[in-house]
Amino acid sequence: ARNVLRPALDLKPVSPEVFALQAVLAVAAGAHDQVETSEAQYIKSARERGVEFGPTVSGLTNLYAYLGFPYDAIRACREAIAVQSDVPELRDVLGDLWWQQGEPDSAEAEYGHALRLDSTRYSVHRKLGKLYESRADTARALREYSRYLAADSTSVTAAKIRSRVAELKESEKNGP
């Protein structure tokens, strides 16, 4: 598949996604020398098209994770954070990746970092609510859900969260 994509790189303009796909294929093939080159080309190509760094790397990490390479997604995200540590989206994505890998402590740390960088990332409060709920920490879950609902009270997700909050409060009232 990499050999099929290689000729596409000679076409102008090259879509950044071609480089992202090349990076994923290199990961799958264990060609780690080509991974770094393809990732750099992907980021450079996206920047040339005016796409910000955070969404670019977020897209790459999500692609790795979606295609079954979660630790490469984590690696790419960590490397991006080392380059630009003030992008809350990267911390949010890294939190998601850690959560998906069953590492709630690491997820919680990254979500907290995302909120310190951008207190308006309200979806992070919803994620923290779920994380605390998984730990049976109802008080903290309710606090995070309330913060989420303060920002989003009308969406379908908000309706689901309101319903979940009511269930948690009811179970808290009735005991275990």
Side-chain angles (χ1 to χ4, degrees):
R2 282 184 303 154
N3 292 333
V4 170
L5 283 176
R6 198 165 274 126
L9 297 177
D10 295 329
L11 301 174
K12 298 295 178 198
V14 172
S15 169
E17 287 72 24
V18 171
F19 296 119
L21 289 172
Q22 255 198 334
V24 171
L25 291 170
V27 164
H32 300 290
D33 56 323
Q34 292 179 352
V35 172
E36 187 175 323
T37 301
S38 295
E39 285 178 355
Q41 289 172 320
Y42 171 66
I43 291 167
K44 180 182 178 220
S45 180
R47 277 191 171 160
E48 288 170 355
R49 291 175 179 254
V51 180
E52 292 182 25
F53 185 73
T56 299
V57 174
S58 175
L60 181 63
T61 59
N62 286 329
L63 183 61
Y64 280 144
Y66 178 76
L67 294 175
F69 303 103
Y71 291 104
D72 288 288
I74 290 168
R75 175 200 45 80
C77 205
R78 286 175 133 177
E79 288 173 2
I81 288 169
V83 171
Q84 195 169 348
S85 63
D86 63 343
V87 180
E89 181 174 358
L90 294 175
R91 297 293 184 158
D92 189 353
V93 168
L94 187 54
D96 292 345
L97 293 167
W98 282 125
W99 178 252
Q100 292 163 6
Q101 293 309 303
E103 297 286 342
D105 293 341
S106 297
E108 179 182 18
E110 293 302 333
Y111 290 148
H113 205 105
L115 286 172
R116 285 189 295 282
L117 290 170
D118 180 2
S119 62
T120 65
R121 292 191 75 80
Y122 298 110
S123 63
V124 174
H125 290 295
R126 178 180 43 79
K127 295 172 187 181
L128 282 168
K130 287 182 180 182
L131 188 147
Y132 294 137
E133 195 176 337
S134 76
R135 292 179 175 165
D137 190 343
T138 304
R140 288 175 85 182
L142 288 170
R143 186 172 56 243
E144 293 300 332
Y145 286 146
S146 294
R147 289 176 178 156
Y148 173 78
L149 291 170
D152 176 11
S153 61
T154 60
S155 73
V156 172
T157 301
K160 290 177 184 177
I161 297 297
R162 267 193 308 281
S163 175
R164 186 65 190 138
V165 165
E167 290 171 7
L168 289 172
K169 286 181 177 179
E170 183 65 27
S171 69
E172 198 173 53
K173 185 173 77 173
N174 294 332

